[in-house]
Amino acid sequence: MEANSVCVLRGYAKEGPVMSATRLKSNVVNVLSSSAINALSFKIAGNLITPQHFITVRNHIKKDEITLVADSGALAREGATVNASYNKLDDKMTLHSRIATASSVERLNRLQIIHECFHAICDAYKLQGITTFEEETCGYLSSALYELYHYNSSMYASDHPMRTLLVSLYKGKPRVELRGDPHFEKCFKRCYDMYMAADPNYKQDRASNNGIRKKK
């Protein structure tokens, strides 16, 4: 594969790199083409997130303006709990290697893609005012909404604050500000505790929300 290819695969010998790169991109676009995308709407720190935001990210991926990388080894080196990542400095989404060869994307990987797409949204739209852990919490909220509408079920237990939050949004309240909502704040606290337990120095650079750079 050429050095400047936008899709990078690690550790796959059964499929050629071009075929795997094509399947990786196709699988990610397929995830973002589900009708469940139409349910992804909420408001955080004055920013109204809509399905169009996710469609914009899908279009960036289609145009190779967001680099897709299938490299489980790289994720493992980032941390034991890292299953996917989005780098705003070079517009790169790193995902589990199995997505590059799967005939269809399994449930958990779909949710990880949606989570990372929210980070890409913050970058592409240069969103301001969203704190590090609000962004992470909204990543989980995005994937939870997607899961509910795509699978008609949720991995969250009935007493988890995310379930209550989903019900509220399900009832048609996507324009209600989440910051200050008690259920969102409980989700935020759980997210914060989880990330701090894995990496006490975890942070994201807000200044890196500088838009998607066009690839030459």
Side-chain angles (χ1 to χ4, degrees):
M1 183 168 51
E2 295 181 1
N4 63 351
S5 176
V6 296
C7 293
V8 180
L9 284 304
R10 307 294 187 198
Y12 278 99
K14 293 183 179 180
E15 292 194 36
V18 174
M19 181 183 295
S20 296
T22 299
R23 181 169 293 185
L24 173 65
K25 182 176 177 179
S26 176
N27 279 343
V28 172
V29 169
N30 176 269
V31 169
L32 291 167
S33 298
S34 167
S35 61
I37 292 296
N38 295 322
L40 304 187
S41 185
F42 52 87
K43 189 175 184 179
I44 179 65
N47 300 284
L48 180 61
I49 307 302
T50 70
Q52 184 58 48
H53 287 76
F54 288 88
I55 292 171
T56 294
V57 169
R58 184 182 70 195
N59 290 338
H60 280 305
I61 291 171
K62 284 183 175 181
K63 296 176 183 178
D64 297 327
E65 293 163 355
I66 289 178
T67 303
L68 298 179
V69 178
D71 193 345
S72 297
L75 293 172
R77 289 190 293 274
E78 288 187 40
T81 61
V82 178
N83 297 304
S85 68
Y86 183 80
N87 188 319
K88 299 176 182 179
L89 296 178
D90 56 11
D91 313 322
K92 181 175 71 176
M93 187 181 298
T94 304
L95 301 165
H96 197 286
S97 298
R98 69 168 62 96
I99 300 174
T101 57
S103 57
S104 62
V105 183
E106 63 184 43
R107 188 169 185 150
L108 181 58
N109 289 144
R110 279 181 175 267
L111 304 187
Q112 291 166 350
I113 289 169
I114 296 298
H115 181 115
E116 298 311 318
C117 281
F118 183 75
H119 293 310
I121 285 170
C122 291
D123 184 26
Y125 284 86
K126 302 181 183 180
L127 298 186
Q128 303 298 315
I130 303 175
T131 68
T132 296
F133 289 104
E134 284 177 336
E135 184 172 329
E136 292 295 353
T137 305
C138 285
Y140 286 108
L141 174 58
S142 298
S143 61
L145 280 167
Y146 181 96
E147 180 185 38
L148 179 62
Y149 281 84
H150 187 81
Y151 294 102
N152 197 32
S153 63
S154 175
M155 64 179 175
Y156 291 97
S158 59
D159 60 347
H160 194 288
M162 184 66 79
R163 282 292 287 269
T164 306
L165 197 58
L166 291 175
V167 170
S168 176
L169 294 172
Y170 183 83
K171 289 182 177 179
K173 298 181 179 180
R175 295 178 180 271
V176 176
E177 172 62 51
L178 289 176
R179 180 180 283 175
D181 179 286
H183 303 294
F184 180 80
E185 295 301 325
K186 288 179 181 179
C187 292
F188 174 93
K189 179 62 165 54
R190 292 192 182 202
C191 180
Y192 176 87
D193 290 344
M194 178 177 65
Y195 276 75
M196 287 295 99
D199 179 7
N201 298 313
Y202 178 82
K203 65 178 181 179
Q204 288 187 358
D205 182 6
R206 300 298 96 198
S208 66
N209 281 342
N210 52 14
I212 303 295
R213 272 69 67 203
K214 304 296 183 181
K215 300 292 189 296
K216 300 296 184 182

Coordinates of all heavy atoms in Angstrom, one line a residue, residues 135-201:
E135 N -17.6 16.4 27.0 CA -17.4 15.8 25.6 C -17.4 14.3 25.7 O -18.0 13.6 24.9 CB -16.1 16.3 25.0 CG -15.9 15.9 23.6 CD -14.7 16.6 22.9 OE1 -14.4 17.7 23.2 OE2 -14.1 15.9 22.0
E136 N -16.7 13.7 26.6 CA -16.6 12.3 26.8 C -18.0 11.7 27.1 O -18.5 10.7 26.5 CB -15.6 11.8 27.8 CG -14.2 12.1 27.5 CD -13.7 11.3 26.3 OE1 -14.5 10.4 25.8 OE2 -12.6 11.5 25.8
T137 N -18.7 12.4 28.0 CA -20.1 12.0 28.4 C -21.0 12.0 27.2 O -21.8 11.1 27.0 CB -20.6 12.8 29.6 OG1 -19.7 12.8 30.6 CG2 -21.9 12.3 30.1
C138 N -20.9 13.1 26.4 CA -21.7 13.2 25.2 C -21.4 12.2 24.2 O -22.3 11.7 23.4 CB -21.6 14.6 24.6 SG -22.5 15.9 25.6
G139 N -20.1 11.7 24.2 CA -19.8 10.6 23.3 C -20.5 9.3 23.7 O -21.1 8.6 22.8
Y140 N -20.6 9.1 25.0 CA -21.3 7.9 25.4 C -22.8 8.1 25.2 O -23.5 7.1 24.9 CB -21.0 7.7 26.9 CG -19.7 7.1 27.2 CD1 -18.7 7.9 27.7 CD2 -19.4 5.8 26.8 CE1 -17.4 7.3 27.9 CE2 -18.1 5.2 27.0 CZ -17.1 6.0 27.6 OH -15.9 5.5 27.8
L141 N -23.3 9.3 25.4 CA -24.7 9.6 25.2 C -25.1 9.3 23.7 O -26.1 8.7 23.4 CB -25.1 11.0 25.6 CG -26.5 11.5 25.2 CD1 -27.6 10.6 25.9 CD2 -26.7 12.9 25.7
S142 N -24.2 9.8 22.8 CA -24.5 9.6 21.4 C -24.6 8.1 21.0 O -25.5 7.7 20.3 CB -23.3 10.2 20.6 OG -23.3 11.6 20.8
S143 N -23.6 7.3 21.5 CA -23.6 5.9 21.3 C -24.8 5.2 21.9 O -25.4 4.3 21.3 CB -22.3 5.3 21.7 OG -22.1 5.4 23.1
A144 N -25.2 5.7 23.1 CA -26.4 5.1 23.8 C -27.7 5.4 23.0 O -28.6 4.5 22.9 CB -26.5 5.7 25.2
L145 N -27.8 6.6 22.4 CA -29.0 6.9 21.6 C -29.0 6.1 20.3 O -30.0 5.6 19.9 CB -29.0 8.4 21.3 CG -29.5 9.4 22.3 CD1 -29.1 10.8 21.9 CD2 -31.0 9.3 22.5
Y146 N -27.8 6.0 19.7 CA -27.7 5.2 18.5 C -28.1 3.7 18.8 O -28.9 3.1 18.1 CB -26.3 5.2 18.0 CG -26.0 4.4 16.8 CD1 -26.0 5.1 15.5 CD2 -25.7 3.1 16.8 CE1 -25.8 4.3 14.3 CE2 -25.5 2.3 15.6 CZ -25.5 3.0 14.4 OH -25.3 2.3 13.3
E147 N -27.6 3.2 19.9 CA -27.9 1.8 20.3 C -29.4 1.6 20.5 O -30.0 0.6 20.0 CB -27.2 1.4 21.5 CG -27.5 0.0 22.0 CD -26.8 -0.4 23.3 OE1 -26.8 0.5 24.2 OE2 -26.3 -1.5 23.5
L148 N -30.0 2.5 21.2 CA -31.5 2.4 21.5 C -32.3 2.4 20.2 O -33.2 1.6 20.0 CB -31.9 3.6 22.3 CG -33.4 3.6 22.7 CD1 -33.8 2.4 23.5 CD2 -33.7 4.9 23.5
Y149 N -32.0 3.2 19.2 CA -32.8 3.3 18.0 C -32.4 2.3 17.0 O -33.2 1.8 16.2 CB -32.7 4.7 17.4 CG -33.5 5.7 18.1 CD1 -33.1 6.3 19.3 CD2 -34.8 6.0 17.7 CE1 -33.9 7.2 20.0 CE2 -35.6 6.9 18.3 CZ -35.2 7.5 19.5 OH -36.0 8.4 20.2
H150 N -31.1 1.9 17.0 CA -30.6 0.9 16.0 C -31.0 -0.5 16.4 O -31.4 -1.4 15.6 CB -29.1 1.0 15.8 CG -28.6 0.1 14.7 ND1 -28.7 0.5 13.4 CD2 -28.0 -1.2 14.7 CE1 -28.2 -0.5 12.6 NE2 -27.8 -1.5 13.4
Y151 N -30.9 -0.8 17.7 CA -31.2 -2.2 18.2 C -32.5 -2.3 19.0 O -32.9 -3.4 19.4 CB -30.0 -2.7 19.1 CG -28.7 -2.9 18.3 CD1 -27.7 -1.9 18.4 CD2 -28.5 -4.0 17.6 CE1 -26.5 -2.1 17.8 CE2 -27.3 -4.2 16.9 CZ -26.3 -3.2 17.0 OH -25.1 -3.4 16.3
N152 N -33.1 -1.2 19.3 CA -34.3 -1.1 20.1 C -34.1 -1.7 21.5 O -35.0 -2.4 22.1 CB -35.5 -1.9 19.4 CG -36.8 -1.6 20.0 OD1 -37.1 -0.4 20.5 ND2 -37.7 -2.5 20.0
S153 N -32.9 -1.5 22.0 CA -32.5 -2.0 23.3 C -31.3 -1.2 23.8 O -30.7 -0.5 23.0 CB -32.2 -3.5 23.4 OG -31.1 -3.8 22.6
S154 N -31.0 -1.3 25.1 CA -29.9 -0.6 25.6 C -29.0 -1.5 26.6 O -29.6 -2.3 27.3 CB -30.4 0.6 26.4 OG -29.3 1.3 27.1
M155 N -27.7 -1.2 26.5 CA -26.8 -2.0 27.4 C -26.9 -1.5 28.9 O -26.4 -2.1 29.8 CB -25.4 -1.9 26.9 CG -24.8 -0.5 26.9 SD -23.1 -0.5 26.4 CE -22.8 1.3 26.4
Y156 N -27.5 -0.3 29.0 CA -27.5 0.3 30.4 C -28.7 -0.2 31.2 O -29.8 -0.4 30.7 CB -27.7 1.9 30.3 CG -26.5 2.5 29.7 CD1 -26.4 2.9 28.4 CD2 -25.4 2.8 30.5 CE1 -25.2 3.5 27.8 CE2 -24.2 3.5 30.0 CZ -24.2 3.8 28.7 OH -23.1 4.4 28.2
A157 N -28.3 -0.5 32.5 CA -29.3 -1.1 33.4 C -30.4 -0.1 33.6 O -30.2 1.2 33.5 CB -28.7 -1.5 34.7
S158 N -31.6 -0.5 34.0 CA -32.8 0.3 34.2 C -32.5 1.4 35.2 O -33.2 2.5 35.2 CB -34.0 -0.5 34.6 OG -33.7 -1.2 35.8
D159 N -31.6 1.2 36.2 CA -31.4 2.2 37.3 C -30.2 3.1 37.0 O -29.8 3.9 37.8 CB -31.2 1.5 38.6 CG -30.0 0.5 38.6 OD1 -29.5 0.2 37.5 OD2 -29.6 0.1 39.7
H160 N -29.6 2.9 35.8 CA -28.5 3.8 35.4 C -29.0 5.1 34.9 O -30.0 5.2 34.2 CB -27.7 3.1 34.3 CG -26.3 3.7 34.0 ND1 -26.1 5.0 33.5 CD2 -25.1 3.2 34.3 CE1 -24.9 5.2 33.4 NE2 -24.2 4.2 33.9
P161 N -28.3 6.2 35.3 CA -28.8 7.6 35.0 C -28.9 7.8 33.4 O -29.7 8.6 33.0 CB -27.8 8.5 35.6 CG -26.6 7.7 35.9 CD -27.2 6.3 36.2
M162 N -28.1 7.0 32.7 CA -28.1 7.2 31.2 C -29.5 6.7 30.7 O -30.0 7.3 29.7 CB -27.0 6.3 30.6 CG -26.9 6.5 29.1 SD -26.4 8.2 28.5 CE -24.7 8.1 28.8
R163 N -30.1 5.7 31.3 CA -31.4 5.2 30.9 C -32.4 6.3 31.1 O -33.3 6.6 30.2 CB -31.8 4.0 31.6 CG -31.1 2.7 31.1 CD -31.5 2.3 29.7 NE -32.9 1.7 29.7 CZ -33.2 0.5 29.9 NH1 -32.2 -0.4 30.1 NH2 -34.4 0.1 29.9
T164 N -32.4 7.0 32.2 CA -33.3 8.1 32.5 C -33.1 9.2 31.5 O -34.1 9.8 31.0 CB -33.1 8.6 33.9 OG1 -33.2 7.5 34.8 CG2 -34.2 9.6 34.2
L165 N -31.9 9.5 31.2 CA -31.5 10.5 30.2 C -32.1 10.2 28.8 O -32.6 11.0 28.1 CB -30.0 10.8 30.2 CG -29.5 12.0 29.5 CD1 -30.1 13.3 30.2 CD2 -28.0 12.1 29.6
L166 N -31.9 8.9 28.4 CA -32.4 8.4 27.1 C -33.9 8.6 27.0 O -34.4 9.0 26.0 CB -32.0 7.0 26.9 CG -30.5 6.7 26.7 CD1 -30.3 5.2 26.6 CD2 -30.0 7.4 25.5
V167 N -34.6 8.2 28.1 CA -36.1 8.4 28.1 C -36.5 9.8 27.9 O -37.4 10.1 27.2 CB -36.6 7.8 29.4 CG1 -38.1 8.2 29.6 CG2 -36.4 6.3 29.5
S168 N -35.8 10.7 28.6 CA -36.1 12.1 28.4 C -35.9 12.6 27.0 O -36.8 13.3 26.4 CB -35.2 13.0 29.4 OG -35.4 14.4 29.2
L169 N -34.8 12.2 26.4 CA -34.5 12.6 25.0 C -35.5 11.9 24.0 O -36.0 12.4 23.0 CB -33.1 12.3 24.6 CG -32.1 13.1 25.3 CD1 -30.7 12.6 25.0 CD2 -32.2 14.6 24.9
Y170 N -35.9 10.6 24.4 CA -36.8 9.9 23.6 C -38.2 10.5 23.6 O -38.9 10.4 22.6 CB -36.9 8.5 24.2 CG -37.8 7.5 23.4 CD1 -37.3 6.8 22.3 CD2 -39.1 7.3 23.8 CE1 -38.1 5.9 21.6 CE2 -39.9 6.4 23.1 CZ -39.4 5.7 22.0 OH -40.2 4.9 21.3
K171 N -38.5 11.2 24.6 CA -39.8 11.9 24.7 C -39.8 13.2 24.0 O -40.7 14.0 24.1 CB -40.2 12.1 26.2 CG -40.6 10.7 26.9 CD -41.0 11.0 28.3 CE -41.5 9.7 28.9 NZ -41.9 9.9 30.4
G172 N -38.7 13.5 23.3 CA -38.7 14.7 22.4 C -38.2 16.0 23.1 O -38.7 17.1 22.9
K173 N -37.1 15.8 23.9 CA -36.6 17.0 24.6 C -35.1 17.3 24.2 O -34.3 17.5 25.0 CB -36.7 16.9 26.1 CG -38.1 16.8 26.6 CD -38.1 16.6 28.1 CE -39.6 16.5 28.6 NZ -39.6 16.4 30.1
P174 N -34.8 17.1 22.9 CA -33.4 17.3 22.5 C -32.8 18.7 22.6 O -31.6 18.9 22.6 CB -33.4 16.8 21.0 CG -34.8 17.2 20.5 CD -35.7 16.9 21.7
R175 N -33.7 19.7 22.7 CA -33.3 21.1 22.8 C -33.1 21.6 24.2 O -32.8 22.8 24.4 CB -34.2 22.0 22.0 CG -34.3 21.7 20.5 CD -35.2 22.6 19.7 NE -35.2 22.2 18.3 CZ -34.4 22.8 17.4 NH1 -33.6 23.7 17.8 NH2 -34.5 22.4 16.2
V176 N -33.3 20.7 25.2 CA -33.2 21.1 26.6 C -31.7 21.0 26.9 O -31.0 19.9 26.7 CB -34.0 20.2 27.5 CG1 -33.7 20.5 28.9 CG2 -35.5 20.4 27.2
E177 N -31.1 22.0 27.5 CA -29.7 22.0 27.9 C -29.4 20.9 28.8 O -30.0 20.8 29.9 CB -29.3 23.4 28.5 CG -27.9 23.5 29.1 CD -26.8 23.3 28.0 OE1 -26.9 24.0 27.0 OE2 -26.0 22.4 28.3
L178 N -28.4 20.1 28.5 CA -28.0 19.0 29.4 C -27.1 19.4 30.6 O -27.2 18.8 31.6 CB -27.2 18.0 28.5 CG -28.0 17.1 27.5 CD1 -27.0 16.2 26.7 CD2 -29.0 16.3 28.2
R179 N -26.3 20.5 30.4 CA -25.5 20.9 31.5 C -26.4 21.3 32.7 O -27.3 22.2 32.5 CB -24.6 22.1 31.1 CG -23.7 22.6 32.2 CD -22.9 23.7 31.7 NE -21.7 23.3 30.9 CZ -20.9 24.1 30.3 NH1 -21.1 25.4 30.3 NH2 -19.9 23.7 29.6
G180 N -26.2 20.7 33.8 CA -27.1 21.0 34.9 C -28.2 20.0 35.1 O -28.8 19.9 36.2
D181 N -28.5 19.2 34.1 CA -29.5 18.2 34.3 C -28.9 17.1 35.2 O -27.8 16.7 35.1 CB -29.8 17.5 32.9 CG -30.8 16.4 33.0 OD1 -30.4 15.3 33.5 OD2 -31.9 16.6 32.6
P182 N -29.7 16.8 36.3 CA -29.2 15.9 37.3 C -28.7 14.5 36.8 O -27.8 13.9 37.3 CB -30.3 15.8 38.3 CG -31.5 16.2 37.6 CD -31.1 17.2 36.6
H183 N -29.5 14.0 35.8 CA -29.1 12.7 35.3 C -27.9 12.8 34.4 O -27.0 11.9 34.4 CB -30.3 12.1 34.4 CG -31.6 12.0 35.2 ND1 -31.7 11.2 36.3 CD2 -32.7 12.7 35.1 CE1 -32.9 11.3 36.8 NE2 -33.5 12.3 36.1
F184 N -27.7 13.9 33.7 CA -26.5 14.1 32.9 C -25.3 14.2 33.8 O -24.2 13.7 33.6 CB -26.6 15.3 32.0 CG -25.4 15.6 31.1 CD1 -25.2 14.8 30.0 CD2 -24.5 16.5 31.5 CE1 -24.0 15.1 29.2 CE2 -23.3 16.7 30.8 CZ -23.1 16.0 29.6
E185 N -25.5 15.0 34.9 CA -24.4 15.2 35.8 C -24.0 13.9 36.5 O -22.8 13.7 36.8 CB -24.8 16.2 36.9 CG -25.1 17.6 36.4 CD -23.9 18.2 35.6 OE1 -22.7 18.0 36.1 OE2 -24.1 18.9 34.7
K186 N -24.9 13.0 36.7 CA -24.6 11.7 37.3 C -23.8 10.9 36.3 O -22.8 10.2 36.6 CB -25.8 10.9 37.7 CG -26.5 11.5 39.0 CD -27.7 10.7 39.3 CE -28.4 11.3 40.6 NZ -29.7 10.5 40.9
C187 N -24.2 10.9 35.0 CA -23.4 10.3 34.0 C -22.0 10.9 33.8 O -21.0 10.1 33.7 CB -24.1 10.4 32.6 SG -25.7 9.5 32.5
F188 N -22.0 12.2 33.9 CA -20.7 12.9 33.9 C -19.7 12.4 35.0 O -18.6 12.2 34.8 CB -20.9 14.4 34.0 CG -19.7 15.3 34.1 CD1 -19.1 15.8 33.0 CD2 -19.1 15.5 35.4 CE1 -18.0 16.6 33.1 CE2 -18.0 16.3 35.5 CZ -17.4 16.9 34.3
K189 N -20.3 12.3 36.2 CA -19.5 11.9 37.4 C -19.0 10.5 37.2 O -17.8 10.2 37.5 CB -20.3 11.9 38.6 CG -19.6 11.5 39.9 CD -18.4 12.4 40.3 CE -17.9 12.2 41.7 NZ -17.6 10.8 42.0
R190 N -19.8 9.6 36.6 CA -19.4 8.2 36.4 C -18.3 8.2 35.3 O -17.3 7.4 35.4 CB -20.5 7.3 36.0 CG -21.6 7.1 37.1 CD -22.6 6.0 36.7 NE -23.6 5.8 37.7 CZ -24.3 4.7 37.9 NH1 -24.1 3.7 37.1 NH2 -25.2 4.6 38.9
C191 N -18.4 9.0 34.3 CA -17.4 9.1 33.2 C -16.1 9.6 33.8 O -15.0 9.0 33.5 CB -18.0 10.0 32.1 SG -16.8 10.2 30.7
Y192 N -16.2 10.6 34.6 CA -15.0 11.2 35.2 C -14.3 10.2 36.0 O -13.0 10.0 35.9 CB -15.4 12.4 36.0 CG -14.2 13.1 36.8 CD1 -13.4 14.0 36.2 CD2 -13.9 12.7 38.1 CE1 -12.4 14.6 36.8 CE2 -12.8 13.2 38.8 CZ -12.1 14.2 38.1 OH -11.0 14.7 38.8
D193 N -15.0 9.5 36.9 CA -14.4 8.5 37.8 C -13.7 7.4 37.0 O -12.6 7.0 37.3 CB -15.4 7.9 38.7 CG -15.9 8.9 39.8 OD1 -15.2 10.0 40.0 OD2 -16.9 8.7 40.4
M194 N -14.4 7.0 35.9 CA -13.8 5.9 35.1 C -12.5 6.3 34.4 O -11.5 5.5 34.4 CB -14.9 5.5 34.0 CG -14.4 4.4 33.1 SD -15.7 3.9 31.9 CE -15.9 5.4 31.0
Y195 N -12.5 7.5 33.8 CA -11.3 7.9 33.1 C -10.2 8.2 34.1 O -9.0 7.9 33.8 CB -11.6 9.2 32.3 CG -12.2 8.9 31.0 CD1 -13.5 8.4 30.8 CD2 -11.4 9.0 29.8 CE1 -14.1 8.1 29.6 CE2 -12.0 8.7 28.6 CZ -13.3 8.3 28.5 OH -13.8 7.9 27.2
M196 N -10.5 8.8 35.2 CA -9.4 9.1 36.2 C -8.8 7.9 36.8 O -7.6 7.8 37.1 CB -10.0 10.0 37.3 CG -10.3 11.4 36.9 SD -8.8 12.4 36.5 CE -8.8 12.2 34.7
A197 N -9.7 6.8 37.0 CA -9.1 5.6 37.5 C -8.2 4.9 36.5 O -7.2 4.3 36.9 CB -10.3 4.6 37.8
A198 N -8.5 5.1 35.2 CA -7.6 4.5 34.2 C -6.4 5.4 33.9 O -5.3 4.9 33.6 CB -8.4 4.4 32.9
D199 N -6.5 6.7 34.0 CA -5.4 7.6 33.7 C -5.6 9.0 34.5 O -6.4 9.8 34.0 CB -5.3 7.9 32.2 CG -4.2 8.9 31.9 OD1 -3.4 9.3 32.8 OD2 -4.1 9.3 30.7
P200 N -5.0 9.1 35.6 CA -5.2 10.3 36.5 C -4.8 11.6 35.8 O -5.2 12.7 36.2 CB -4.3 10.1 37.7 CG -4.1 8.6 37.7 CD -4.1 8.1 36.3
N201 N -4.0 11.5 34.7 CA -3.5 12.7 33.9 C -4.3 12.9 32.6 O -3.9 13.7 31.8 CB -2.0 12.5 33.6 CG -1.2 12.4 34.8 OD1 -1.3 13.2 35.8 ND2 -0.3 11.5 34.9

